[in-house]
Amino acid sequence: MQYAKCTLDNRNWEATAFEQLPGGELETKRTSLVCTECGEFAWYRKRSIHGHPPHFCAHHAEGCDLKVEYISSTESRDDATETADDVENNDTIVVRLDKEKGGAIDVVQTQNPPIPGQGEGGRRFVIDGHTRISSQQFTLRRILHRLVKSEAFRQSTSRIIFYRTNDEVMLDGQVKDIVVSFADITKDKHHEKINFYWGPIVSVKNTKDGKIWLNSSMSYNSASVAIFEDIADDFMQFFEVEELDELLGAYVLVAGRCVYSNGGEGKPVIWCGTKNYIFVKKYKDPYVEDI
Ligand SMILES: [Zn+2]
């Protein structure tokens, strides 16, 4: 889209005017963009080497006039329509982090179902023959998809267990407690705490020391994910990312320790040092496709 509103200066920006901003100002303002109609978070895509002009994108709210629906009759709607109701009562969700496979950054069109055949998990099995606890195995991909799509899932009291290895538990608790939206991070509850954290990415950068920084917007507490230099290349390969800008507008789900920067006075940063502990889900930008 051509316009987005910046909540810092309360101004509606046209994309080519936004492009002219000095670097530092642009970097600040791009973390505070929303759709001019529905107010959902938006992000800025710079002019591309392929000739696409600068523009803004957003995941619009239901009913927003600026939302474009792309429905393909050939694609399965299974995953797109699933809700937290699919997790049956008393069913425990199991995630085996050592089985995570990465893959292309999972491009799905906004409001569209994911690519058929890529949905994994949901296989029903029994954790342990003696206790007979019924459970469903999910991947990070599937967890993130549900978090994005289902408010009910975000608030779910279902038990979820993340296994580091076959029988070593990393986190065990209720979904609503141990899978935390960037928007819900508070210093009191989450400083120095290891959880799963998730939210949208509106700016990305490499620092000189080789770390990758994925930054969310101000409405998400300006939370950032810092990916350590020793796994940065693996991360790029794992998700088949060539340019960091491909991650703009993606959602990220990451396990790690949340630390408020500047000795507790700054913004929340989630530190990620293991590639199996992170998943990114990219939404295709229909505006780019059409240009
Ligand atoms: Zn909108």
Side-chain angles (χ1 to χ4, degrees):
M1 58 195 184
Q2 198 177 355
Y3 293 90
K5 181 178 172 182
C6 174
T7 57
L8 288 177
D9 58 16
N10 234 10
R11 198 176 143 183
N12 284 347
W13 283 92
E14 196 277 323
T16 51
F18 195 80
E19 181 187 36
Q20 308 298 321
L21 285 170
E25 193 178 349
L26 189 150
E27 286 305 316
T28 307
K29 290 199 158 116
R30 78 189 306 180
T31 66
S32 308
L33 297 170
V34 296
C35 170
T36 55
E37 291 289 320
C38 68
E40 283 291 310
F41 88 91
W43 62 96
Y44 168 70
R45 292 294 307 253
K46 66 178 188 235
R47 184 180 300 276
S48 84
I49 50 171
H50 308 298
H52 296 146
H55 60 283
F56 301 105
C57 314
H59 298 309
H60 301 280
E62 283 298 316
C64 176
D65 288 344
L66 296 181
K67 188 166 90 177
V68 179
E69 294 226 23
Y70 282 73
I71 304 288
S72 158
S73 59
T74 58
E75 291 182 13
S76 151
R77 296 195 64 88
D78 289 356
D79 264 11
T81 54
E82 71 183 0
T83 68
D85 299 338
D86 299 342
V87 182
E88 291 173 22
N89 287 341
N90 304 320
D91 250 11
T92 296
I93 300 166
V94 168
V95 184
R96 298 198 173 275
L97 296 167
D98 57 344
K99 301 284 193 293
E100 287 290 321
K101 294 192 193 76
I105 46 175
D106 198 21
V107 172
V108 293
Q109 288 185 340
T110 310
Q111 301 305 314
N112 237 26
I115 300 151
Q118 294 207 351
E120 295 183 62
R123 194 163 52 90
R124 190 168 300 274
F125 72 109
V126 174
I127 290 182
D128 168 325
H130 302 293
T131 54
R132 296 167 59 91
I133 301 170
S134 174
S135 69
Q136 297 183 66
Q137 188 166 334
F138 277 29
T139 56
L140 292 184
R141 177 197 303 270
R142 195 162 185 218
I143 299 284
L144 181 56
H145 182 72
R146 287 199 176 197
L147 288 167
V148 172
K149 297 286 179 189
S150 169
E151 173 71 26
F153 184 68
R154 291 171 225 158
Q155 302 304 327
S156 166
T157 55
S158 292
R159 184 180 177 196
I160 186 165
I161 308 173
F162 293 94
Y163 283 92
R164 202 187 303 271
T165 58
N166 213 11
D167 47 21
E168 187 188 351
V169 172
M170 179 198 186
L171 278 168
D172 179 354
Q174 294 184 348
V175 172
K176 68 179 180 57
D177 293 330
I178 65 172
V179 186
V180 181
S181 164
F182 290 169
D184 296 330
I185 294 176
T186 63
K187 196 169 140 189
D188 281 354
K189 278 178 81 172
H190 303 109
H191 183 46
E192 304 277 4
K193 294 288 189 323
I194 293 176
N195 281 300
F196 269 85
Y197 298 94
W198 71 282
I201 301 166
V202 300
S203 81
V204 287
K205 66 176 179 188
N206 259 129
T207 43
K208 282 190 185 133
D209 59 8
K211 287 188 185 67
I212 296 172
W213 289 80
L214 311 177
N215 307 310
S216 69
S217 58
M218 284 180 71
S219 51
Y220 288 84
N221 287 309
S222 301
S224 293
V225 177
I227 299 171
F228 281 104
E229 53 273 29
D230 53 341
I231 64 157
D233 288 344
D234 280 352
F235 168 79
M236 299 284 278
Q237 282 175 19
F238 207 46
F239 293 103
E240 300 172 22
V241 178
E242 287 178 15
E243 275 185 80
L244 277 181
D245 273 8
E246 292 169 35
L247 295 168
L248 294 177
Y251 282 88
V252 59
L253 171 65
V254 59
R257 188 180 300 278
C258 174
V259 179
Y260 274 69
S261 61
N262 292 333
E265 299 306 311
K267 299 167 181 178
V269 177
I270 296 109
W271 294 90
C272 176
T274 309
K275 73 172 193 279
N276 293 45
Y277 290 9
I278 187 166
F279 194 84
V280 284
K281 189 179 189 71
K282 174 70 178 158
Y283 286 80
K284 186 180 284 182
D285 173 3
Y287 299 94
V288 171
E289 291 291 302
D290 287 343
I291 292 170

